[in-house]
Amino acid sequence: MGAEQAPEPPPPPPPPVAAAERGMGFAERAVAAAGAAVVSAVLVNPLDVAKTRLQAQAAGVVYNPIWSDFRCYPWCNPGMNGLGPSCSSECFQYRGTMDVFYKVTKQEGVFRLWRGTAASLALAVPTVGIYLPSYDLLRNWIEEYSDHSFPKLRPYAPLIAGSVARSLACITCSPIELARTRMQAFKVSNVGGKPPGMWKTLLGVLALRQSINHPENIRSYHLLWTGLGAQLARDVPFSAICWTVLEPTRRHLIRIVGEQSNAAVILGANFSAGFIAGVISAGATCPLDKDPARVLHMNTRRILHEVWSKEGISGIFRGAGPRMARAGPSVGIVVSSYEVVKHIMHRKHAEL
């Protein structure tokens, strides 16, 4: 009598996503992602302000604006520089994120922490609206394919889906990112000047097309994707690492709680996992996040070589603290908001 054939191993457990939610279409997911982008932009913008100023300070740039409503501290010994009131440099030496919040609020008013929110939304809403739904659908497809045909592929589903989805979002929204980068570079080179709006900036990029003497004016629309390589080199590794860490972390947290249908549990598990993943991926990819003004004229390799030759490893990872402090809450807020909105939309549909 021959040996009995060993039974096949059971299929891997399904991810902690309700079957009905897995059936949601791209449009529904895009609405949820857009809502998450708005929430994140409003809540995280102060962290962007802190990150920008701390990174500028680490690079040796002294932030010293001249405004009529600017207020020095009583101990800052305000003086005159010929153009208006000026504070000593100690007023602008930030000792951390909370110190930025405190000094900006005291010196410039609390609403200065939300300066640039409109520009952030103009980029975040379309980018996140493409990125998160694309990741969801790609991950689901890869997991279903691996369950039926290639089980060894399943652990890599978050990495592959995250890389492809971020690439699609970057390519689609690259002109908006280019406009924002040029606006940031304008602020650096024209202190106190107001940069042109997003549409004027993009029209300026395409100004060469109007020149009859320009030999390649027909192909000038390609200029709208200037800097795409540097953006992909920065964002795709971040996304790959982020989702590779986030997915098993949130599944583990939800498994511990044992309740998937509670909005509070979904919020807490996704925020915690997103925070951890954001911090790790931001630290790992910090060398790829460099000065926007340089990105317009140099590729990532040249920038890293120049920084390494002048400043060494400390220059490569300069600004890692502010970047990680911003990325953790940002990823946590976006992912948790997205999952909660999807959960609410699913419940609303179920009640109809």
Side-chain angles (χ1 to χ4, degrees):
M1 184 174 179
E4 295 184 1
Q5 187 176 4
E8 294 183 359
V17 182
E21 288 187 28
R22 291 176 71 89
M24 291 178 66
F26 185 92
E28 293 174 298
R29 296 175 190 270
V31 171
V38 172
V39 173
S40 176
V42 173
L43 295 180
V44 177
N45 202 79
L47 293 173
D48 274 333
V49 173
K51 171 196 167 189
T52 300
R53 299 203 181 186
L54 288 170
Q55 285 184 327
Q57 178 176 283
V61 178
V62 177
Y63 186 81
N64 192 347
I66 303 172
W67 295 319
S68 59
D69 60 345
F70 189 83
R71 298 180 292 278
C72 292
Y73 288 123
W75 59 85
C76 277
N77 301 320
M80 297 296 293
N81 61 5
L83 297 175
S86 177
C87 297
S88 63
S89 59
E90 64 185 276
C91 286
F92 311 100
Q93 292 298 315
Y94 302 118
R95 294 187 295 272
T97 300
M98 297 307 298
D99 193 44
V100 174
F101 293 162
Y102 180 75
K103 288 182 177 178
V104 169
T105 301
K106 288 291 186 180
Q107 295 172 343
E108 307 168 38
V110 66
F111 292 108
R112 181 65 61 173
L113 293 172
W114 279 271
R115 184 182 185 183
T117 302
S120 298
L121 284 172
L123 177 65
V125 170
T127 301
V128 178
I130 295 171
Y131 175 43
L132 291 182
S134 298
Y135 169 78
D136 262 0
L137 296 175
L138 283 169
R139 181 205 59 204
N140 292 345
W141 181 83
I142 294 172
E143 289 180 341
E144 290 172 2
Y145 171 79
S146 65
D147 289 346
H148 292 90
S149 305
F150 195 52
K152 292 183 179 180
L153 181 64
R154 187 182 178 88
Y156 302 99
L159 186 149
I160 298 171
S163 300
V164 174
R166 193 65 194 181
S167 298
L168 291 174
C170 287
I171 293 170
T172 304
C173 300
S174 182
I176 303 176
E177 174 70 17
L178 173 64
R180 191 181 73 159
T181 301
R182 286 184 176 268
M183 291 164 67
Q184 289 175 339
F186 180 94
K187 293 177 183 178
V188 172
S189 58
N190 299 269
V191 178
K194 184 178 181 181
M198 182 171 295
W199 292 114
K200 286 186 178 180
T201 301
L202 291 177
L203 290 175
V205 173
L206 293 175
L208 288 175
R209 183 175 181 272
Q210 300 176 357
S211 174
I212 300 178
N213 297 325
H214 197 279
E216 297 184 358
N217 54 9
I218 297 178
R219 294 182 291 175
S220 62
Y221 281 107
H222 293 176
L223 295 173
L224 292 177
W225 279 264
T226 301
L228 176 61
Q231 185 184 359
L232 290 171
R234 179 194 67 196
D235 290 356
V236 173
F238 179 96
S239 180
I241 297 171
C242 183
W243 289 110
T244 301
V245 174
L246 191 151
E247 286 288 0
T249 303
R250 72 173 169 186
R251 294 182 186 191
H252 179 69
L253 292 174
I254 292 178
R255 192 179 301 117
I256 291 175
V257 177
E259 176 59 57
Q260 301 177 17
S261 61
N262 189 317
V265 171
I266 294 173
L267 177 67
N270 281 279
F271 179 82
S272 300
F275 188 97
I276 295 169
V279 169
I280 293 174
S281 51
T285 59
C286 181
L288 303 175
D289 184 22
K290 294 303 169 189
D291 182 7
R294 286 183 176 182
V295 172
L296 293 175
H297 308 290
M298 302 170 62
N299 59 36
T300 302
R301 183 178 178 181
R302 285 186 59 194
I303 294 173
L304 291 175
H305 182 268
E306 181 180 293
V307 173
W308 175 267
S309 61
K310 292 181 178 179
E311 306 174 45
I313 191 68
S314 61
I316 293 290
F317 284 93
R318 185 178 60 222
R323 175 173 163 82
M324 293 164 70
R326 187 259 183 205
S330 177
V331 175
I333 292 170
V334 169
V335 174
S336 59
S337 300
Y338 175 62
E339 294 296 336
V340 168
V341 173
K342 281 200 308 179
H343 175 73
I344 294 173
M345 292 175 65
H346 163 60
R347 293 190 62 178
K348 292 292 184 182
H349 283 304
E351 293 173 358
L352 295 178

